[in-house]
Amino acid sequence: MIFLAALALLLDEPELPACVAQLQTDLGACDSVIAAGKDARVTARLLLRRAYVRNEKYQYEEALRDLDVAVAADPAYGVAWHERSYTHSELREFAQALADSDRDVALRPDAADSYRERAFVRHGLGDLKGAWEDRAKVAALEPKSAGAMLARGMAALWLGRFEEARADTAAAAALAEAADDADAVKGARRQQTLISLWTSRSGASSPEAACRAADKAGRFEAKQVIGDCTAAFLAAANSRMKAEMLTTRSTAFLAAAQDLPASADDNAMAVAFDPGNGDWHHNLGTSYLIGHHSWAARREFDIAIRIRDSWPARAGRAAARYNLKDYAGALEDARKSFEMHPNDLALTVLGDLAHDRGDDKAAKLYWMGAWRLGDRDDGMVERLKGIGVADPDQEPKS
């Protein structure tokens, strides 16, 4: 995504009306100018700026409508194609995002951000080689950028080109230290840790067998599971197997490395390689839910349920809907999930809904049920303390 401040640096730009300064706080500030449509280039730029603000507010569908009109008004406006690509990507509509990015690259072949956006899109489609090619182009255009070098290293890592990944990460760390860029230094250190995890194996003769054995046994605590599943992913003969190996690795990233972002990345890539599998969408939705990105979580649970209705997807969507204040939808999904299979997440949501309406007696029943089914995290402890249950294990069964 581009930054608003960078827009002012574009050459040969038409003068914009004063209303543009108000869009950050008033999305309707330029409505009359846009409706008049006297200058197509001005209209396109106002719509782009409004779409940018909408994207910041997670109003992706509305932003997309603005951008559709913007590129129609001025098809040569590469920045609008860029922003539309970003918006499609946020909606996980990567095929459309790629078409938009291709247009942006054709219009702005010397703009690093054009290739940066397309690299993200290609990665989302599972085109790992194409993603590396675009990251390499960015690095060539921005040779002193630690971020560009770091991104090329990560793209090489996904291809299993470990020496290239190490070299790029070391170069990024040096550039970051020279620029006194603390965030980039931290990013380089994290990437060095990831490279170590990806490449440290158990020594098993068959990494696929080792990865599957860990999954079957539910034993993900050893960091070597990450390396075994990585080797199995890289050697997998088809996309379905790649998705399976990544799914197991995603769990290992949580259990062995406590790395939620890496786990979520694996779940997203599993979806890219095998998009027709509802379980992968459920896993990705759960990653988003844990990461407090409920809008994206709901989208993935929607897809999972369309593919195959299941109690875990219903429970996950109930939690996402609750976070998004769709209380009627949350109630419907939680009830349906529990009818399909008694589970703690559905009971937790039902308890939250009861507590919100002031019915703590019902909330206690639901939350204690969730406790007995296994939800014993700090959040549940605090919920129960809030209604007077100091020691849930001493509560009599009702």
Side-chain angles (χ1 to χ4, degrees):
M1 181 190 285
I2 58 166
F3 295 97
L4 285 177
L7 295 176
L9 301 178
L10 295 173
L11 299 177
D12 193 28
E13 286 293 280
E15 184 176 352
L16 298 181
C19 67
V20 70
Q22 302 170 16
L23 284 172
Q24 194 69 34
T25 55
D26 179 8
L27 286 168
C30 293
D31 283 357
S32 59
V33 180
I34 292 170
K38 293 182 179 179
D39 185 329
R41 295 177 72 228
V42 169
T43 298
R45 282 146 184 78
L46 292 175
L47 286 166
L48 168 71
R49 285 155 171 75
R50 189 167 74 181
Y52 183 94
V53 176
R54 291 193 191 282
N55 279 332
E56 285 186 322
K57 298 176 181 293
Y58 308 111
Q59 297 175 4
Y60 300 120
E61 290 90 349
E62 295 88 342
L64 192 57
R65 286 195 288 270
D66 277 349
L67 292 164
D68 288 344
V69 179
V71 296
D74 187 359
Y77 189 26
V79 179
W81 290 104
H82 177 101
E83 189 72 8
R84 197 169 81 155
S85 176
Y86 169 85
T87 308
H88 275 304
S89 291
E90 288 299 296
L91 292 166
R92 294 195 65 79
E93 296 170 349
F94 288 117
Q96 298 94 319
L98 181 59
D100 290 343
S101 266
D102 285 343
R103 289 292 295 271
D104 180 29
V105 167
L107 289 164
R108 302 190 303 149
D110 297 322
D113 65 303
S114 299
Y115 298 97
R116 194 162 16 242
E117 181 63 30
R118 193 170 67 178
F120 176 82
V121 173
R122 284 176 160 174
H123 185 83
L125 285 166
D127 177 10
L128 301 178
K129 183 175 182 294
W132 181 88
E133 289 170 350
D134 278 336
R135 293 297 184 188
K137 183 68 175 179
V138 175
L141 289 167
E142 298 179 344
K144 295 185 178 180
S145 167
M149 196 64 67
L150 204 61
R152 189 176 71 178
M154 178 57 73
L157 185 61
W158 273 99
L159 290 170
R161 288 151 52 170
F162 300 132
E163 290 309 312
E164 289 181 37
R166 290 187 180 98
D168 279 350
T169 305
L175 286 167
E177 289 169 1
D180 197 23
D181 186 340
D183 288 341
V185 169
K186 183 178 179 181
R189 288 173 180 167
R190 178 178 184 273
Q191 190 152 298
Q192 288 168 339
T193 298
L194 283 175
I195 294 170
S196 177
L197 289 169
W198 282 45
T199 56
S200 299
R201 291 180 50 192
S202 66
S205 58
S206 170
E208 179 188 343
C211 185
R212 291 190 185 280
D215 184 41
K216 184 175 181 180
R219 297 296 299 273
F220 305 99
E221 297 82 7
K223 290 183 178 179
Q224 287 78 10
V225 174
I226 297 170
D228 287 339
C229 292
T230 297
F233 158 72
L234 292 170
N238 56 58
S239 294
R240 178 184 58 79
M241 288 180 60
K242 286 183 179 295
E244 290 175 2
M245 298 303 103
L246 288 174
T247 298
T248 302
R249 192 176 75 169
S250 74
T251 305
F253 264 122
L254 286 178
Q258 295 77 53
D259 193 331
L260 175 60
S263 176
D265 287 345
D266 278 355
N267 284 328
M269 190 55 67
V271 167
F273 279 117
D274 190 12
N277 189 313
D279 290 341
W280 306 157
H281 288 280
H282 166 263
N283 293 344
L284 181 55
T286 300
S287 290
Y288 287 140
L289 194 61
I290 295 171
H292 307 289
H293 195 350
S294 293
W295 184 93
R298 184 190 62 190
R299 175 195 60 210
E300 296 304 320
F301 292 131
D302 285 345
I303 297 171
I305 290 167
R306 285 200 300 270
I307 294 172
R308 180 177 61 84
D309 202 352
S310 68
W311 70 263
R314 286 278 183 172
R317 191 169 72 175
R321 282 178 156 176
Y322 178 83
N323 293 342
L324 294 167
K325 304 187 187 307
D326 175 11
Y327 300 125
L331 178 62
E332 176 187 359
D333 275 337
R335 284 176 171 172
K336 178 65 175 177
S337 174
F338 193 79
E339 288 170 4
M340 296 169 79
H341 179 80
N343 66 90
D344 56 345
L345 181 53
L347 286 175
T348 299
V349 174
L350 290 169
D352 290 347
L353 290 165
H355 180 65
D356 288 349
R357 65 175 181 266
D359 188 351
D360 283 352
K361 182 178 180 180
K364 179 180 177 180
L365 288 173
Y366 288 130
W367 288 340
M368 282 303 305
W371 178 270
R372 292 180 177 121
L373 285 176
D375 183 357
R376 301 194 169 203
D377 66 11
D378 291 342
M380 183 54 67
V381 171
E382 290 303 313
R383 284 176 172 89
L384 289 166
K385 280 185 178 179
I387 57 172
V389 179
D391 187 351
D393 285 328
Q394 298 302 314
E395 283 293 309
K397 293 185 178 180
S398 53

